[in-house]
Amino acid sequence: LADSRHPVTEAGLANLTARLIHFRRLDMDDPEAVTVLDRVTDDRGRVHFRSVHSHPVFQEERPFARVEVLYDPENGFPVDICSYDWPAPGHTDALRLAEHYAYDDIRLDADLTALDFDPANPNYAFHRY
């Protein structure tokens, strides 16, 4: 965790989706929260649904001032998320990117075996420090 904001146990689409739902529920009770839904085109020409969530006033329970999420148009999964830190108190600087996570080439039909989940799998080259 020295260089990370989240433990590896929070990785994955299910955890990301749960966090997004949690914060959108907070938005429903926050009259200051702003959500914009639109579509954007990526570098490869694919159109994605996008949600942009902004919060003008710092709140302790909100880790970010702005969150942008791209959704896969075929399955609706959140596949790209950019979260922006709150500006320092008294500053109106441009928001700084705090985290960016992307999922690419998602395959839900991958053939997995027990070896795929084994830390001793030689293909992973795990070693102790």
Side-chain angles (χ1 to χ4, degrees):
L1 283 178
D3 296 321
S4 301
R5 288 181 179 230
H6 306 281
V8 70
T9 55
E10 290 183 9
L13 283 171
N15 286 326
L16 171 61
T17 302
R19 288 180 56 84
L20 290 172
I21 290 169
H22 167 76
F23 288 112
R24 298 306 63 88
R25 284 187 173 145
L26 289 178
D27 288 351
M28 293 176 73
D29 293 328
D30 181 357
E32 299 291 322
V34 175
T35 296
V36 175
L37 304 174
D38 62 7
R39 291 179 177 89
V40 295
T41 304
D42 67 15
D43 297 339
R44 296 180 290 184
R46 284 189 69 197
V47 176
H48 293 270
F49 300 112
R50 177 175 70 166
S51 61
V52 180
H53 312 278
S54 302
H55 308 94
V57 179
F58 173 78
Q59 295 174 10
E60 189 69 36
E61 67 271 11
R62 294 192 183 279
F64 304 110
R66 178 182 173 99
V67 176
E68 296 181 24
V69 185
L70 296 183
Y71 302 88
D72 186 295
E74 294 174 23
N75 56 36
F77 292 158
V79 292
D80 194 291
I81 181 168
C82 293
S83 302
Y84 296 85
D85 272 334
W86 291 98
H91 289 82
T92 58
D93 311 0
L95 298 177
R96 289 185 12 202
L97 181 66
E99 35 183 63
H100 178 208
Y101 299 98
Y103 296 91
D104 194 24
D105 194 25
I106 298 172
R107 290 183 31 215
L108 300 177
D109 61 348
D111 292 324
L112 301 173
T113 67
L115 186 61
D116 294 309
F117 299 95
D118 186 347
N121 185 332
N123 293 324
Y124 297 151
F126 289 147
H127 55 276
R128 297 209 179 264
Y129 292 96

